[in-house]
Amino acid sequence: MSSTMSNTAKIEDTLREKIISQPDMILDDQDVMRALIAANEKSMGGNIVDLRGIAMERLEARLDRLEDTHRSVIAAAYENLAGTNQVHRAILRMLDPVEFESFLRDLGGEVADILRVDEVRLVLESVQNEDDPAIQRLGDVLSVAEPGFIEDYMTGGRNVPLRQVTLRQLQSGADQVYGEAADWIRSEACLKLDFGEGRLPGLLVMGAEDPHHFTPQQGTDLLAFFAGVFERAMRRWLS
């Protein structure tokens, strides 16, 4: 064997001493460890089953899955916290006005902006005609519908349980709810409102151009909380 081949087959003394003095440097390097394991398996031959290597691969795969799950949980927690803060700020802004007209105007303005929705509409069931000047003065946010409209709208006319909050995707919005904006509404949140005994129900609708802004798979706890606060604010105005 030549001296050249002998030198290449051995680790240089300085590198060898460094590895011996700092073995963690090798153990912490995943690429180096994989190369060493692969070389070890190659030296053992194809007929030998390396159970330790198999176990290490499985543990490594499990660790990767756990890390992915951990990242997903953290991301979901931050998203929930951001959503909670968003709803809290919208509620505080909603409670600021001291007049009903300002209350409705802010609902379709700053409150909608805080919630990051394109349209907000309040539908009240009433026998009063929506062409009444008093109703028209309140702007585009408010519309009046005949008794029974809200249940039909939320269930789509089907015989299904009526939930407080319904999230869904649309081909287009309803003209009676959104008016001229109906054509570009692609998803909405419908919040059923209870104004107390002896009063007809109401409906708060949030519409978005993004078809994925509201989907049936999303949670509804925050919107149900928002609906509860809105009901109480409306009872103050109705009284």
Side-chain angles (χ1 to χ4, degrees), residues 21-239:
S21 63
Q22 298 179 350
D24 291 345
M25 178 180 65
I26 299 296
L27 296 174
D28 292 339
D29 192 312
Q30 292 187 1
D31 292 334
V32 173
M33 288 301 299
R34 287 193 183 97
L36 292 174
I37 292 171
N40 180 56
E41 291 174 349
K42 185 177 180 181
S43 67
M44 290 190 300
N47 294 328
I48 299 176
V49 178
D50 183 7
L51 296 179
R52 184 181 179 186
I54 293 173
M56 288 295 292
E57 288 179 0
R58 290 179 177 175
L59 285 173
E60 200 171 85
R62 185 179 180 186
L63 179 60
D64 288 342
R65 290 195 299 270
L66 287 173
E67 288 179 345
D68 289 341
T69 301
H70 177 71
R71 282 192 290 268
S72 298
V73 170
I74 295 297
Y78 275 114
E79 186 176 347
N80 288 340
L81 180 60
T84 301
N85 291 336
Q86 192 178 47
V87 169
H88 286 173
R89 287 191 296 114
I91 287 172
L92 290 175
R93 185 65 189 88
M94 181 178 67
L95 296 178
D96 280 342
V98 294
E99 295 180 354
F100 188 55
E101 291 184 32
S102 299
F103 173 77
L104 287 183
R105 185 174 58 251
D106 290 349
L107 187 65
E110 290 188 38
V111 174
D113 292 339
I114 293 172
L115 293 174
R116 296 179 183 176
V117 294
D118 298 305
E119 298 290 334
V120 174
R121 295 288 188 270
L122 174 62
V123 181
L124 300 179
E125 289 188 353
S126 175
V127 295
Q128 189 175 7
N129 192 304
E130 65 177 354
D131 294 329
D132 187 294
I135 294 176
Q136 289 188 334
R137 190 177 67 249
L138 297 175
D140 296 334
V141 174
L142 177 64
S143 62
V144 175
E146 68 279 2
F149 171 83
I150 291 173
E151 182 172 350
D152 288 341
Y153 184 78
M154 293 189 69
T155 62
R158 297 173 296 167
N159 185 22
V160 294
L162 184 60
R163 293 174 293 182
Q164 184 184 17
V165 179
T166 296
L167 308 180
R168 59 192 177 192
Q169 296 167 299
L170 306 168
Q171 294 296 324
S172 63
D175 293 337
Q176 188 170 353
V177 174
Y178 295 103
E180 295 180 358
D183 290 341
W184 48 267
I185 296 297
R186 295 293 179 267
S187 65
E188 68 178 4
C190 303
L191 284 58
K192 186 176 181 295
L193 306 172
D194 180 3
F195 298 134
E197 187 176 354
R199 291 195 176 109
L200 291 170
L203 177 68
L204 187 65
V205 185
M206 303 176 186
E209 186 175 6
D210 181 2
H212 304 291
H213 194 91
F214 296 113
T215 65
Q217 293 77 29
Q218 295 171 346
T220 60
D221 290 348
L222 286 175
L223 288 176
F225 174 68
F226 185 87
V229 176
F230 189 86
E231 285 175 344
R232 287 158 177 78
M234 280 295 296
R235 288 173 188 170
R236 181 184 64 181
W237 298 115
L238 294 174
S239 63

